[in-house]
Amino acid sequence: MTQPGRSGAASPDADRHWLLEAISLSRCCPPSASAFSVGAVLVGADGAVMSTGYSRECTPVDHAEEVALARIGLPGAAPLGSAAQNGVDLAGATLYSSLEPCAARASRPTPCADLIIASGIGRVVIAWREPPIFVPGGGAVRLRQAGLAVIVVPELASSARAVNAHLLSG
Ligand SMILES: [Zn+2]
């Protein structure tokens, strides 16, 4: 499904820039006592932003990644269809998310990791591994098993965590 050879194009500086943008978006999330605040930015192969999203942006159960995918015509809550069916080639695109995409979720049947895999996106860059507070983590492993490149930028994890401090202290 993915072509790893196409997916290493972004520079570390670009990755850092867009990940900081995703973390900034996470600060827009309506507060929640039971879900993380996450921001996501989808950047095309040409380096231009294709879409953005943040947790609970449109409805109280939205995840950041699915909002970003919905904006380009891949509705997260709908049955999975390939991005090609929607006329969007995302093999060279990179999804930046402040938090590891979920591999399980309580609010909707399809976790973001599966939405991302179905979209055809070739590369995912995250700042923070999902702590097993609400659901088990494991999104990065699932993405890698599907052939996507997953890059973790741990030096930005504390920034991604900061907006969620109220969920982590207890
Ligand atoms: Zn999710």
Side-chain angles (χ1 to χ4, degrees):
M1 183 199 299
T2 57
Q3 300 171 31
R6 291 186 56 184
S7 55
S11 70
D13 282 351
D15 282 350
R16 190 181 163 82
H17 171 81
W18 292 121
L19 204 46
L20 283 169
E21 195 71 24
I23 292 168
S24 292
L25 279 168
S26 75
R27 300 190 181 105
C28 302
C29 302
S32 170
S34 59
F36 291 116
S37 291
V38 182
V41 180
L42 180 62
V43 176
D46 60 356
V49 174
M50 297 178 72
S51 69
T52 64
Y54 55 82
S55 309
R56 301 175 292 285
E57 182 172 349
C58 306
T59 81
V61 297
D62 288 334
H63 284 196
E65 304 95 317
E66 71 181 334
V67 172
L69 291 173
R71 286 232 158 85
I72 57 165
L74 302 174
L80 294 179
S82 77
Q85 290 170 340
N86 294 279
V88 184
D89 180 5
L90 297 175
T94 298
L95 181 69
Y96 295 89
S97 181
S98 59
L99 177 67
E100 179 180 12
C102 60
R105 63 188 291 183
S107 54
R108 282 181 181 147
T110 309
C112 293
D114 290 348
L115 296 174
I116 293 164
I117 291 166
S119 77
I121 289 171
R123 189 168 179 273
V124 176
V125 179
I126 62 174
W128 182 31
R129 296 284 195 142
E130 180 169 18
I133 295 176
F134 304 117
V135 296
V141 169
R142 187 175 299 187
L143 293 170
R144 284 184 177 132
Q145 284 173 342
L148 283 75
V150 179
I151 290 90
V152 183
V153 183
E155 60 265 35
L156 296 183
S158 60
S159 300
R161 252 196 326 264
V163 69
N164 293 288
H166 62 293
L167 300 172
L168 303 169
S169 56

